[in-house]
Amino acid sequence: MTIRLYDTSARQIRDFTPLLPGCVSIYLCGATVQAAPHIGHIRSGLNFDIMRRWFEYRGYDVTFVRNVTDIDDKIIKKSAEQNRPWWSIGYENERAFNDGYDALGCLPPTYEPRATGHITEMVEMMRGLIERGHAYEADGNIYFDVRSFEGYLELSNQELDNLLQPESEGETGKRDPRDFAMWKAAKPGEPSWETPWGRGRPGWHLECSAMAHKYLGEAFDIHGGGIDLIFPHHENEIAQAKAFGDEFAKYWVHNAWVTMSGEKMSKSLGNSVLVSEMVKRWRPIVLRYYLGTPHYRSMIEYSEEALREAESAFARIEGFVQRVVEKAGGPVDAAPEVPPAFAEAMDDDLGVPQALAIVHTTVRQGNSALAADDKEAAVARLAEVRAMLGVLGLDPLDEHWAGETGRGQDLHGVVDTLVRLVLQQREAARARKDWATADAIRDQLQQTGLVIEDGPDGPRWTLGAR
């Protein structure tokens, strides 16, 4: 068994070999909490949640660090616009992100450090870089000298002579316009912290280098994030960390975007879809299926139609699970191992689409067993399906999703009683061979979003796709 991952730095799929046998260390660039999350933000956390679950299934002890950037230019700008403290905006949106992760079934990280809680570590790193000749102070700012680090831009595969380094207001005194700010001198009315070079605040890139060093040490296995972070953020992280003396990340794994009309989902484009609103319209488990089942390196083009297709596909899985549980007369435990074809797909760069095909094939086999009244085979297939869904965080019988399946589960008994009364009228019509009335009742129920299935034990209803 060898897990293989696409390593951005190598530009190829590589066999994964952990630094410490039996253990995996992962650092994921988490939320910048200037606003509430849209589904594009949550996709990254969800993709790496599936990665973590697969490593754990394969027997690894996983340390998963997902940071919170709670101070940056955007947060300060929002603070001024809303006349609110920067920390109030940050905390409110940090909670919104965590609510989104929780709603979609992401496991909590091992550590979730905030940038502002690690100023001491940042000062220590800057001091070391200045001493080694890789950084310098100018006008209260601390800059990284990109020409001092030989491996700069290897991750993003750029040429230094062609580089345009993003910068913000107040970055004065640079020796080279391509140098980037690690620390920004204090401005009136902005948050600041004391350092040997005067008061100021951290730059975005420095935060992650310092936090990764603190929680994962000089070397760790995997650094993750969205493809938009490759440059400048991850490139600058590498420069800081390695110039400081760290080996830093062994593998770089990046997820693709959620797009709308071919553009990255972004608040600045006005095309974002907030998680807090989406979970009111769609069941969270369906959102997880929609965002988590495409390959992590493929773009997801957002549309209502695509979500309806995801809802319908998951309904087929969920319907099978419910039917077998009813047939078995109680819960069916997950199998101790997933099918070999599922494992092979997951080992190959987390091939969730191929793995999901095995889930649907197994569901079809289970439905055939149900049709043949083969209870033993149906139960065996459900055990396999539960094992696979558990890895993907999509098992509808998992306690996380308890009570979620109908997004109104407390009314299920009432609805069931009312529907059964109508179905009894349909059965009476069928008994007297009044097929027109029976079909009309079925059609009316289907128009409300219910699916009626006739089986050897009588009719049953389920919620269909909207």
Side-chain angles (χ1 to χ4, degrees), residues 246-267:
D246 290 354
E247 293 182 31
F248 213 49
K250 187 176 180 182
Y251 300 83
W252 286 85
V253 179
H254 293 91
N255 65 277
W257 298 331
V258 178
T259 61
M260 291 182 71
S261 302
E263 294 185 89
K264 176 193 172 188
M265 187 170 286
S266 165
K267 292 183 181 65

Side-chain angles (χ1 to χ4, degrees), residues 16-26 55 59-63 221-222:
F16 176 77
T17 304
L19 292 168
L20 183 63
C23 298
V24 179
S25 47
I26 303 172
F55 275 122
Y60 288 96
D61 181 10
V62 179
T63 300
D221 292 306
I222 298 169

